Each structure stands twice: as structure tokens, then as C-alpha cells.
Amino acid sequence: MAESPIIEQLRRHIHDYVEGHECYGTNGHDQRRPFVPQAALTAFWTREKIIGVLCHDGLIPRNPDIILDYYIAIFTIVVLTSEPANIDLFMQEDLSDSSLPLGSVPEAYRESLVHHGVFEDFMKLQWKFCPMSLDVSSRPKPSRKNMSPEIILPISNKIKINPQADEGKDIAVLYKVDLHRNCTQLTVPVVFKEYRQADSESQRLHDNEWAMYSNLRDGSFRHIVTYYGSFGCMGRRTIVLEYAPGGTLLQFFKERQPPKTDCHRVQFWQNLFGLLGGLEAIDDFTWDHNHSKDTWRLRGTHQDIRLQNILVCGTSSDDDYSVPFKFADMGNAHIRKTKNEGIDRRAVDQYGNGMYSAPEAFRDNGDPINIDHKSDVWSLGAILSEALIWSIWGERGREIYQDERIQRTRQTKLKGGHHEGAFHDGDRLLDVVENWHERVISVTGGSAEALRSVRQAIGRTLGLNSSDEDPLKVFPELKIPLTRLRGEGGRNQIFVLDDSNSMESSREQLGRTLRVLSKLLKKGQVDPDKEFELYFASTGECKKARHSTDLQSFISTHSFSNPRCEMHAILDQVATKVIKEDQMVSIYVLTNGHWNPQDYKSLCGVDKPIERLVRHIVNGNKQDNWAIVQFIGFHSSSHNDADQCGKARMRYLDNDLNLERDIVDNRDARGNVRKILLGSFSAEADESESSSED
């Protein structure tokens, strides 16, 4: 019987589609191969064509919708072999397109010579129709997936990031890779980090890096390069990562001018200090587990923080310093396990760089034994120290600063060792570092106070302050503002949480923000009953806590499942309580402002409870800041429409309500802690720019 004319149409369609859309990739042998994406098949097949092919061969038609939804690639292959009836062999064993590529003949058909031959032929043809897909929304991500050398990687373009990299000798080679648009949701290039050598050192670095990236939560990649998955083929181990078009922080310092305006300085320093969030994500992978004395915590250390391992993930110019900085290169990282509430074991030394390492990482006289997350904090402090010098004197100043440290460490026990140029002498901070910091303050004139705060923050990271330390020793500048906030009789502190599903990605940052604010408020003795109230917008439930860790725990175990946030309802509930109790209050609203995704122009009624509070203040002749409402914004680094709408809503509530009293302020969660705490309580804080750059 002559084959159906539809089959010839299919062959012609596939050829034209491959050529017209340049559907060519490479297999594990680095050979160029054509591939057929799913889009090509869905563009061809219809119910009518499927039934037409089956009826032409005298077959009882199968449900074409099932074939279109689950078997379109398999059906295409069996049709091209002129055996459409063989679709039954796959359907009977529930072998759908998601099962491709097949690695062997299904067990049910191994004893049949006829069927065995059908599957052997199928497996030879299948590779063209199942190119590797990097679907960024898929779960789980491919994790050290073993790939057949026959599978086709849908790579449109692949070039070495460092043209001098030696693929035959270097432990790892980085490539900028453009994936074919029909095989990924990504619209930007990615990085293939390929470990090509077979030696134990290459294996160690790859395994460390894979373990670190694969244990990080999706919400962690705000200040760590995004991990898309990993796979191996013919001894080549590949980790797929976010591409950083801005290069490294070292390149940034060499090629860019220091920021000249206040706005640009704020952008620059916010992004650099944001790296602390990356370290926090690395420090404890299990922070939100339901821990008991019998559970384990997984804790990490980077151990190789330096300018070359911090990437600039975006393009920027001297008119824009808003692109995020992110940690990369986790090959020297280490993950350790510790019993919850037990003794914290120290990290194993992974022999990271020496110049930016902490004093406890000094290894010239033997193996260091006290490395933990504070060592990473020190290293980041060293980066911030060089950034401070660069921000005043540019790259030439940073190089001189580095040279002076090298000369100074050569006068210590660090001479000739791994740590020349460090920021310490093996025991304590170098006097060279303090002297340069003081020079920054002395030469900046009117900018001295702002830079003094930056310098103090850098000093805190280099001073290795304990997380259990008195927060007012860490932030001494907040002592007076907290006293003002407390007043004579104290001020109730209420937190309102937007727990819609759009806030899920901010879960970790929410927990950190609550912990920091509550710890400061508790130490400042602001709340008269020493108890914090946390309201959840989805249910109206109120949870009370005396400890900051309890608040953070509430966040870690809560379900962020509601598609929208009824913010007006929960604020109305809180306003009713506040008016009834008639006690001074600060209300902190943690939200992204996505309250109604169907109506971007509306305030969603959130202004009404605020109006009620203002009327209560006016009618009761109370002081202007008797009640304050502080919106704290949680937004992604990308400029999506929902975030822009949320920011606009909160700006309007802050600046344009035109009520008899101004009790509203709006701050970004990454902003100045003092301004978040004081909000509209302080005219000076409220009148300062209330944006993501505060």
C-alpha cells in the first residue's frame, strides 16, 4: 500500500522548519546535528491529519487529542518509519513524550524479535526529536543528569568567555551559550561551566560547586548567580548558570568611574551590601525547616570570595549603578552538617584565595580550624573596604591600597606565604586598612557623615560581630531614634504580612527583615508589653511572639498560597483593634503591593483604614504620629509590571493621600533601617526619598 500523502507533507515540513528556524545543535561528540523542536510538530499536526494517517492504514483511529497532548513526538517518529500502528506499543506501556529519550527496549518487548526491532529502529531516530530542554520553570532542575552522547544540545552559539582558556589543560572552561529559542523559556544567554579534566582536583571542585548550587533555594539567587541545572556526558561535567554581561567586579572597578551623584552612590552601596543576603542564604540551607533537637542543619561557606568571583549581572554605564552584584565560583565551597541546637562544627578548609581571607583562615603554619560563615563575612568586608577606596580614588587608588597591604604584610608572619596583601596580619586588622578608611573620611568634606556610616558598616564586617551581639552596639546610631520612637509610655508594634503567593519568593528576606526589626525594637524597649503581633493577610490570624526568632519561624513554616492579597481587609481589622485599644502604635506592612493583579490602577481600598486612623487622631486631638503605617516593599531586581504597579501604589499612599495627618511612609526592604523604623514618625525621615533607593 502506498503511504499516506500526509507523511510526505510531514517530511517536507520538518525539513523546511529545521532550515527556516536554524534548528541545529551539537551532540556529545561536538558534532553538528539538526533537531526538531516540539513547536515544529504542533505547527503541523491536527486532529484531522492524525485520523487521516491512521485511517489510510486501515487502523481504528486513536483519540487524536491524547496523541497531540502526550505522544506527538513518538507518533511523528513511528509515522516517519511508515508504521503508524506502532503507536499502540508505546501507549500500552504508557511511554509518552516525557519518557524520551528511551535508553533501552521496554521489558515487555525484549523477548519479541519483531517488537525488539521496532524499538531499536525507533531509538536510532529519536534523538532528532528530543533535544535537551532547559525549561527554567521545570521542577526539578536537571541535577548531574547523565546524558547520552547522542542527545542534541540546542545551542545556537557557543563561545569561550575567556578566549585564552585552554580546553585541554584548564580545570574548568566557561562558555557563553545561546540556546535555541524553541527549546527554552530563557531569552538571554547562559553560561556552560565545563569541567573537562578527569583528575581528582577537577572532580572535587565540580562536586563542591554542584552541591552548593543545587542546595540553594530559588529565592537565594538575588545575590548569587542563578543555577539552571547540571549534566554530564562522556566525562565532561557541565553546570548551567546565569550569564553576567557586566563581567566581574574586578573588571567593573577597572573599567568604570566611581559614582558621582548621591543617587548613584546609594545604588552602588545597596547592591554591594546586598551580597550579605547571598552569604545568609549560603550559611543555612535548612533555616525554614521544622527543627527539633534531633534534626540536622546544613550550613555552607563560600571560602573563595574575591573580586573575580563577584559578577555584575547586567549591563550598566556611568549613568546607572543599579545592576546587581552576585556571588559565583563555588568550587571551594563546603557544606557541613550540624545538629540543631548542638555544637556547630567548623568548615573544612577548601584552600580558597588568601588575600581576602579572614585571620582564622590563616594556613601558612598548618590547617586552619575555625572557618565558618563569619570567615565569609570578613572576606566580604575586605571587598567592601576596597570598594570604599575605589569609590573615592578610582582603580588607581584601589591598586595603591592593595600594594600598601602587600608591603605591610611582608613585615609580618604572612611574608612570602599564601596571604600576602591580606587585610590582617594573621591575628588582627592591619593598621594600613584603618589608616585608609580614616583618609576617606578626612578628604570627603560634606560627604563625610554618609561615608562614615559606610565605613562603620565595613568595620563591623571586618570586626566579625556575632549575630547574638547587642544590636545597638552593632547599630549605635539607632539608640536615640529608638528612644524617640518609644516615647514615655511605649508604642505597640504590629507587623502585617502579605502572604499571597507572589510573596513566596521573598520568604527568606521577609524572615530576615522581621528578625532584624524586632530585635532592634526589643532592645530599644519600644513595645510596652514586650510582645510583637504578626497578622497574616490571608486569614486575619494574629500570632504573638516575644522573640525575633519566633517571628522568623512563623514565616518559614507559613503557606504562601493565596492568589491575591486582601490588604484592605487585614488593615481594617488592625485599625479597628488599634482604635479600640487607644494605644500609640507603629504598623509595619510587609508587601509587594500586588494586591489585585486584575486592577493595577486601584488602591484596592487600602487607603480606607488609613483614613480611619487619621480621623481617630484628629477627633481625639492626639499627637500627629500617634499611629504610623510603614509600608516595607519586597520587589525583585527585574523590572516587571506587577512590581512597578506595587511600587506606584505605595508611593501614592505615602505622598498623595492628602489627609489631615501624614501617617504613612514607604521604604524598600533593602533600605536604611533607621528610616524604616522611624518612617512617618520623623519628619526628616519621611521627607527623604521613599523609594527603592533609600
Side-chain angles (χ1 to χ4, degrees):
M1 179 188 300
E3 68 179 16
S4 167
I6 296 174
I7 298 178
E8 179 55 32
Q9 295 172 21
L10 174 62
R11 292 193 183 100
R12 190 164 57 250
H13 169 78
I14 288 174
H15 175 272
D16 292 345
Y17 194 98
V18 167
E19 296 302 321
H21 292 80
E22 298 180 337
C23 296
Y24 285 88
T26 57
N27 62 15
H29 303 287
D30 287 330
Q31 297 168 327
R32 189 169 184 260
R33 289 286 186 267
F35 64 86
V36 182
Q38 190 91 352
L41 304 182
T42 56
F44 177 81
W45 286 112
T46 63
R47 297 181 182 90
E48 294 75 20
K49 287 180 179 178
I50 291 172
I51 292 176
V53 168
L54 294 173
C55 287
H56 182 273
D57 281 13
L59 302 171
I60 298 175
R62 310 309 184 258
N63 187 325
D65 290 321
I66 293 177
I67 292 176
L68 282 171
D69 290 341
Y70 302 105
Y71 295 90
I72 192 168
I74 291 174
F75 186 70
T76 299
I77 297 171
V78 297
V79 166
L80 290 174
T81 60
S82 300
E83 294 292 343
N86 287 336
I87 188 65
D88 285 345
L89 301 179
F90 293 85
M91 298 180 78
Q92 288 165 6
E93 293 300 310
D94 197 24
L95 295 172
S96 63
D97 289 346
S98 62
S99 304
L100 299 182
L102 298 183
S104 61
V105 176
E107 185 175 355
Y109 302 120
R110 289 176 188 170
E111 301 302 321
S112 168
L113 292 178
V114 174
H115 291 154
H116 193 283
V118 168
F119 280 94
E120 289 286 353
D121 292 341
F122 179 92
M123 288 189 291
K124 292 176 183 177
L125 292 174
Q126 67 179 337
W127 305 108
K128 186 175 182 178
F129 295 90
C130 52
M132 179 181 176
S133 174
L134 274 174
D135 182 354
V136 294
S137 65
S138 65
R139 295 292 182 272
K141 299 172 182 176
S143 182
R144 291 201 294 188
K145 184 175 182 178
N146 290 320
M147 308 281 281
S148 166
E150 299 303 322
I151 200 161
I152 300 170
L153 299 175
I155 295 173
S156 300
N157 191 40
K158 180 181 179 181
I159 58 173
K160 287 189 288 187
I161 292 177
N162 176 10
Q164 281 72 50
D166 189 333
E167 295 167 324
K169 295 181 179 179
D170 290 353
I171 288 180
V173 178
L174 277 69
Y175 299 87
K176 176 186 175 184
V177 172
D178 293 308
L179 298 169
H180 197 281
R181 60 187 177 277
N182 287 135
C183 296
T184 180
Q185 294 180 350
L186 290 168
T187 58
V188 293
V190 297
V191 167
F192 276 19
K193 186 170 187 177
E194 295 185 358
Y195 287 87
R196 291 170 166 256
Q197 310 309 317
D199 59 276
S200 59
E201 178 66 3
S202 177
Q203 187 70 51
R204 179 187 74 85
L205 292 171
H206 168 269
D207 290 352
N208 287 346
E209 189 150 29
W210 164 79
M212 184 65 74
Y213 280 122
S214 61
N215 273 288
L216 287 167
R217 307 292 184 83
D218 283 349
S220 305
F221 295 116
R222 190 168 188 165
H223 295 290
I224 299 171
V225 292
T226 305
Y227 167 72
Y228 297 120
S230 57
F231 58 90
C233 180
M234 298 183 67
R236 184 188 307 176
R237 301 171 298 279
T238 302
I239 297 176
V240 186
L241 300 167
E242 176 183 4
Y243 174 66
T248 68
L249 186 56
L250 179 60
Q251 291 173 293
F252 183 92
F253 285 160
K254 289 180 178 295
E255 298 170 3
R256 295 288 303 277
Q257 293 297 312
K260 302 299 183 185
T261 67
D262 288 343
C263 176
H264 290 160
R265 292 188 190 101
V266 168
Q267 288 178 336
F268 173 72
W269 286 111
Q270 277 190 342
N271 283 326
L272 268 185
F273 276 99
L275 289 167
L276 286 166
L279 292 187
E280 188 158 11
I282 291 171
D283 175 44
D284 190 351
F285 301 103
T286 55
W287 69 272
D288 61 345
H289 290 198
N290 293 319
H291 284 294
S292 67
K293 289 185 178 180
D294 297 321
T295 59
W296 290 92
R297 287 184 179 270
L298 296 179
R299 315 197 71 165
T301 48
H302 187 291
Q303 295 195 37
D304 199 17
I305 294 172
R306 48 180 164 161
L307 297 178
Q308 296 92 325
N309 290 347
I310 296 173
L311 302 185
V312 184
C313 292
T315 56
S316 61
S317 66
D318 289 337
D319 294 324
D320 179 18
Y321 290 80
S322 63
V323 294
F325 301 122
K326 298 190 179 186
F327 288 118
D329 290 300
M330 304 283 196
N332 286 305
H334 178 257
I335 298 176
R336 65 195 188 279
K337 62 179 183 180
T338 63
K339 265 297 179 67
N340 186 52
E341 299 182 15
I343 297 174
D344 185 8
R345 292 174 171 83
R346 299 307 183 187
V348 174
D349 181 24
Q350 298 291 310
Y351 301 96
N353 84 90
M355 179 175 288
Y356 297 94
S357 62
E360 65 269 22
F362 175 67
R363 69 171 67 91
D364 290 348
N365 294 335
D367 292 333
I369 59 174
N370 291 316
I371 294 176
D372 62 10
H373 74 282
K374 294 178 184 177
S375 307
D376 281 345
V377 174
W378 171 285
S379 297
L380 178 58
I383 297 291
L384 296 172
S385 176
E386 287 201 346
L388 179 65
I389 306 309
W390 174 84
S391 72
I392 304 301
W393 291 287
E395 177 60 9
R396 180 57 183 154
R398 190 192 69 83
E399 290 175 347
I400 294 173
Y401 176 41
Q402 187 177 99
D403 289 342
E404 287 193 16
R405 295 198 316 273
I406 292 173
Q407 296 305 317
R408 183 67 182 88
T409 51
R410 286 175 179 170
Q411 301 170 19
T412 70
K413 62 183 179 182
L414 275 58
K415 179 181 179 180
H418 184 64
H419 302 273
E420 282 194 354
F423 294 71
H424 57 84
D425 61 6
D427 297 299
R428 60 184 62 84
L429 194 67
L430 287 179
D431 52 3
V432 169
V433 175
E434 283 290 348
N435 292 341
W436 272 85
H437 287 189
E438 288 298 331
R439 286 178 61 189
V440 169
I441 302 304
S442 67
V443 303
T444 50
S447 303
E449 285 307 313
L451 283 171
R452 191 182 301 276
S453 297
V454 172
R455 194 204 66 166
Q456 288 172 347
I458 295 171
R460 288 195 289 268
T461 61
L462 291 172
L464 299 180
N465 291 298
S466 167
S467 60
D468 297 324
E469 187 176 357
D470 181 347
L472 293 182
K473 290 182 180 179
V474 178
F475 298 99
E477 65 272 19
L478 294 179
K479 188 172 184 179
I480 293 176
L482 284 169
T483 301
R484 291 174 56 202
L485 189 63
R486 181 176 67 241
E488 294 183 1
R491 175 181 289 269
N492 283 338
Q493 304 296 305
I494 296 176
F495 295 99
V496 176
L497 177 68
D498 176 350
D499 55 351
S500 61
N501 54 20
S502 65
M503 289 286 285
E504 167 68 37
S505 61
S506 299
R507 182 194 292 268
E508 290 187 36
Q509 190 183 8
L510 283 165
R512 292 196 301 267
T513 302
L514 268 179
R515 187 186 68 203
V516 170
L517 292 178
S518 59
K519 200 168 187 177
L520 285 165
L521 291 165
K522 180 180 180 180
K523 194 63 183 179
Q525 299 179 337
V526 176
D527 197 301
D529 61 6
K530 300 179 181 179
E531 190 171 58
F532 300 104
E533 299 171 40
L534 173 62
Y535 285 84
F536 294 93
S538 63
T539 62
E541 178 187 11
C542 175
K543 290 196 173 184
K544 297 183 179 182
R546 291 183 176 272
H547 303 290
S548 58
T549 52
D550 291 337
L551 288 174
Q552 189 172 19
S553 178
F554 292 155
I555 298 294
S556 68
T557 57
H558 188 69
S559 173
F560 289 72
S561 57
N562 274 31
R564 59 182 286 176
C565 173
E566 302 292 346
M567 183 57 71
H568 69 287
I570 189 64
L571 282 183
D572 212 33
Q573 176 183 333
V574 170
T576 298
K577 175 184 182 297
V578 167
I579 292 170
K580 180 179 179 181
E581 294 182 351
D582 206 27
Q583 169 73 37
M584 285 201 304
V585 66
S586 294
I587 303 169
Y588 300 95
V589 183
L590 295 83
T591 181
N592 56 18
H594 300 188
W595 303 321
N596 184 353
Q598 306 303 320
D599 186 1
Y600 283 163
K601 296 182 179 180
S602 169
L603 293 176
C604 306
V606 175
D607 51 327
K608 302 305 179 184
I610 297 171
E611 292 175 4
R612 289 182 61 203
L613 289 172
V614 169
R615 283 198 301 271
H616 183 71
I617 292 172
V618 173
N619 295 339
N621 196 29
K622 300 180 183 298
Q623 67 185 56
D624 289 353
N625 53 27
W626 180 86
I628 60 177
V629 180
Q630 177 67 63
F631 287 94
I632 305 174
F634 293 79
H635 303 105
S636 67
S637 55
S638 60
H639 299 289
N640 61 70
D641 291 342
D643 273 354
Q644 295 307 310
C645 172
K647 291 179 181 179
R649 281 176 174 148
M650 288 188 278
R651 281 196 300 268
Y652 187 94
L653 291 168
D654 183 5
N655 301 320
D656 299 311
L657 285 182
N658 297 320
L659 302 176
E660 291 184 69
R661 299 289 188 274
D662 181 8
I663 67 170
V664 177
D665 188 49
N666 161 47
R667 298 286 164 185
D668 189 276
R670 298 165 296 172
N672 185 292
V673 175
R674 175 177 172 273
K675 293 178 182 178
I676 290 176
L677 284 172
L678 290 181
S680 58
F681 177 88
S682 162
E684 174 269 326
D686 189 36
E687 289 171 5
S688 63
E689 185 178 359
S690 301
S691 71
S692 60
E693 286 86 25
D694 65 354

